[in-house]
Amino acid sequence: MKLTVVGGGYVGLTTGVCFAHLGHEVMVVEKIPQKVELLRAGRSPIYEPGLEELMHESLSSNRLKFTTNLKEGLEFSDVIFICVGTPQRPDGSADLSQVEEVARETAKLMTSYKLLIEKSTVPVNTHQLIKKTVQRYIKSPDIPYDVASNPEFLREGSAIEDFLKPDRIVVGVESERAKKIFEELYKDFNCPIIFTDPATAELIKHASNSFLAMKISFINMVADLCEKTGADIKLVADGMGYDKRIGRDFLNAGIGYGGSCFPKDVKAFIRIAQDYGLDFGLLREVDRINQERPIRFVEKVKRVLWSVKDKKLAVWGLAFKPNTDDIREAPSIKIVDMLLREGAKLSLYDPKAMENFKLLFPEGKGISYAKDPYSAVESAEGLLILTEWQEFKRADLGRVKGLMALPLIVDGRNVYEPEEVRALGFEYYPVGR
Ligand code: NAD
């Protein structure tokens, strides 16, 4: 099939590259010219494992094209995936201006049938707003179109695998014509395909993300209780997780969820409920608990070190999760900021996210960036772990101890087994253990 993807970010690029890999012809429309230049040269503007390799494959077989020109994208195909950003507004609601722009400009340019698909995460009933916008700006009322919802559930760090082998595909459609296009598109996917109305599909996405965020805040509160009582959160989570009704995923205690989805989607879902006259107090608590995690972590660091003023601390991990360079809403941002205010001298290291982090925290004024994890810990009086990269799990802790001024680790991600690290002579402070 011929497909057009509007927005070449984490979701749009993965969508385009994966559909091209599956044999479709894809044109990605990205409005930032520098990104398109990079992409045409076969370079990904984001770090996502396996993405660049798959991109090369499709570029060389000419199944993947990039443009800045929406008109070109609309002439290329009838199936338009909207993958633009839906960031958070100051009041917590979703900013849909990028979606509105795509709907409006598409309406002005289209001359024949188009299926407009929301892949971006949007509040329930956004499809109604898209339809209204298209009706307003379309050249002629005789041009047919459909609006559908096909939310994306991929996770950064495993986006390719998640896209190609999803747990389920959710499609909200209103016409047989649109349904048939999706049936053809997803016919080789070996997973349940749930056809619903668009409002239900939109709601499934926000409800799923909010539920997962709720699991994380829940286990983080239980971790605090473990620290007070001497219980072990990892075993508690295992003990709970074997229950099929609960499941072990998303029960890892830590410094809270971050990224471009959970924090904004939980807030947006609270707002959506409010707009319809409902108080989703449960989610307000989920959000509150999460916002406090970085504060609790810094309190712990201060409790352990008494004062951090003028102390050199190494920080391993800045990305909001492993295998990505994304630092949007990463807990590291708040933690680094609070420690700097306390007068700490920080030596930061992350395998992929340092360039992005430097844009927020340039070198100097208490901040330096290390070339590897070992140079970060040189003469440090504490090592703080903020992201659970494999590189840290496999680190030579004997070497780390030899380099540090004080062998002390405050681990925000429970990367190590406490007995093993303590046996090496470290003071070790994990979460909830
Ligand atoms: P992103 O910011 O990485 O990418 C959005 C891209 O769209 C940017 O490159 C931007 O320049 C481009 N863009 C904006 N307006 C445009 C226009 N008019 N024409 C062409 N390009 C335009 O965002 P993302 O992380 O890919 O997320 C996109 C959507 O998918 C959001 O709604 C997000 O909530 C949702 N989502 C994200 C993830 C994730 O893990 N990142 C997972 C599932 C769903």
Side-chain angles (χ1 to χ4, degrees), residues 10-298:
Y10 287 86
V11 167
L13 196 52
T14 306
T15 302
V17 165
C18 287
F19 277 138
H21 170 71
L22 293 172
H24 301 291
E25 279 183 64
V26 182
M27 183 171 284
V28 176
V29 183
E30 165 57 52
K31 74 170 178 189
I32 300 176
Q34 296 88 323
K35 275 197 190 180
V36 170
E37 254 170 62
L38 265 183
L39 290 162
R40 282 183 177 152
R43 290 184 28 227
S44 168
I46 53 165
Y47 172 73
E48 183 58 45
L51 187 68
E52 234 176 49
E53 290 79 350
L54 276 197
M55 209 166 93
H56 291 162
E57 172 202 284
S58 304
L59 278 172
S60 52
S61 61
N62 228 8
R63 284 199 306 272
L64 184 62
K65 295 186 178 68
F66 297 100
T67 180
T68 50
N69 188 337
L70 181 64
K71 187 162 182 276
E72 204 183 328
L74 295 175
E75 283 163 3
F76 182 78
S77 94
D78 299 339
V79 183
I80 319 295
F81 284 93
I82 304 174
C83 301
V84 297
T86 52
Q88 189 184 307
R89 281 214 186 94
D91 67 359
S93 64
D95 177 349
L96 298 175
S97 55
Q98 295 179 35
V99 177
E100 191 270 349
E101 185 186 327
V102 177
R104 178 168 28 91
E105 294 308 312
T106 300
K108 286 183 195 165
L109 292 166
M110 64 196 253
T111 50
S112 60
Y113 176 80
K114 299 289 161 204
L115 169 58
L116 280 168
I117 305 165
E118 307 162 345
K119 221 171 198 354
S120 301
T121 304
V122 292
V124 60
N125 281 332
T126 297
H127 70 282
Q128 301 282 16
L129 298 171
I130 295 180
K131 279 200 294 192
K132 212 176 199 169
T133 301
V134 175
Q135 274 160 22
R136 236 177 232 156
Y137 290 95
I138 203 160
K139 278 184 192 148
S140 148
D142 300 331
I143 303 171
Y145 66 91
D146 278 305
V147 177
S149 164
N150 176 208
E152 182 49 57
F153 296 96
L154 65 78
R155 295 161 298 176
E156 286 173 26
S158 54
I160 303 280
E161 174 84 5
D162 291 345
F163 191 93
L164 294 173
K165 294 193 185 116
D167 291 339
R168 79 317 204 171
I169 291 168
V170 174
V171 180
V173 279
E174 285 178 314
S175 79
E176 268 307 305
R177 184 174 188 172
K179 189 174 181 207
K180 282 211 169 67
I181 293 174
F182 282 106
E183 280 169 345
E184 173 65 18
L185 182 64
Y186 289 126
K187 69 177 185 313
D188 295 328
F189 280 69
N190 194 16
C191 68
I193 300 180
I194 300 143
F195 281 101
T196 68
D197 57 277
T200 303
E202 290 164 337
L203 204 73
I204 287 172
K205 174 63 190 178
H206 263 135
S208 301
N209 272 10
S210 300
F211 191 86
L212 292 171
M214 182 180 72
K215 277 186 95 173
I216 297 174
S217 280
F218 182 89
I219 205 67
N220 281 336
M221 280 311 294
V222 180
D224 284 355
L225 199 55
C226 286
E227 278 185 24
K228 301 268 185 215
T229 56
D232 183 333
I233 191 62
K234 193 150 181 294
L235 298 176
V236 171
D238 288 345
M240 288 170 65
Y242 279 113
D243 187 327
K244 287 195 205 68
R245 295 168 302 176
I246 298 173
R248 181 64 176 81
D249 288 352
F250 284 79
L251 289 184
N252 293 323
I255 50 176
Y257 56 78
S260 68
C261 291
F262 286 3
K264 86 166 166 60
D265 290 349
V266 168
K267 289 192 188 74
F269 208 34
I270 296 169
R271 278 297 306 227
I272 293 162
Q274 231 170 46
D275 290 346
Y276 288 93
L278 300 170
D279 177 15
F280 213 144
L282 176 66
L283 288 184
R284 276 194 279 113
E285 210 35 33
V286 167
D287 183 44
R288 186 195 63 78
I289 292 166
N290 196 61
Q291 301 225 31
E292 278 189 359
R293 297 313 286 174
I295 302 167
R296 297 274 160 279
F297 181 79
V298 171

Side-chain angles (χ1 to χ4, degrees), residues 275-344:
D275 290 346
Y276 288 93
L278 300 170
D279 177 15
F280 213 144
L282 176 66
L283 288 184
R284 276 194 279 113
E285 210 35 33
V286 167
D287 183 44
R288 186 195 63 78
I289 292 166
N290 196 61
Q291 301 225 31
E292 278 189 359
R293 297 313 286 174
I295 302 167
R296 297 274 160 279
F297 181 79
V298 171
E299 280 170 0
K300 185 193 270 184
V301 173
K302 281 163 53 186
R303 209 164 46 241
V304 165
L305 287 165
W306 195 7
S307 162
V308 295
K309 190 163 186 313
D310 293 328
K311 285 188 180 154
K312 179 181 171 182
L313 301 177
V315 175
W316 281 4
L318 303 168
F320 84 94
K321 64 187 283 195
N323 296 322
T324 181
D325 59 352
D326 199 346
I327 58 158
R328 290 179 283 184
E329 299 280 328
S332 61
I333 296 173
K334 273 192 189 169
I335 292 171
V336 164
D337 186 51
M338 281 184 275
L339 290 170
L340 284 177
R341 284 169 199 272
E342 295 283 338

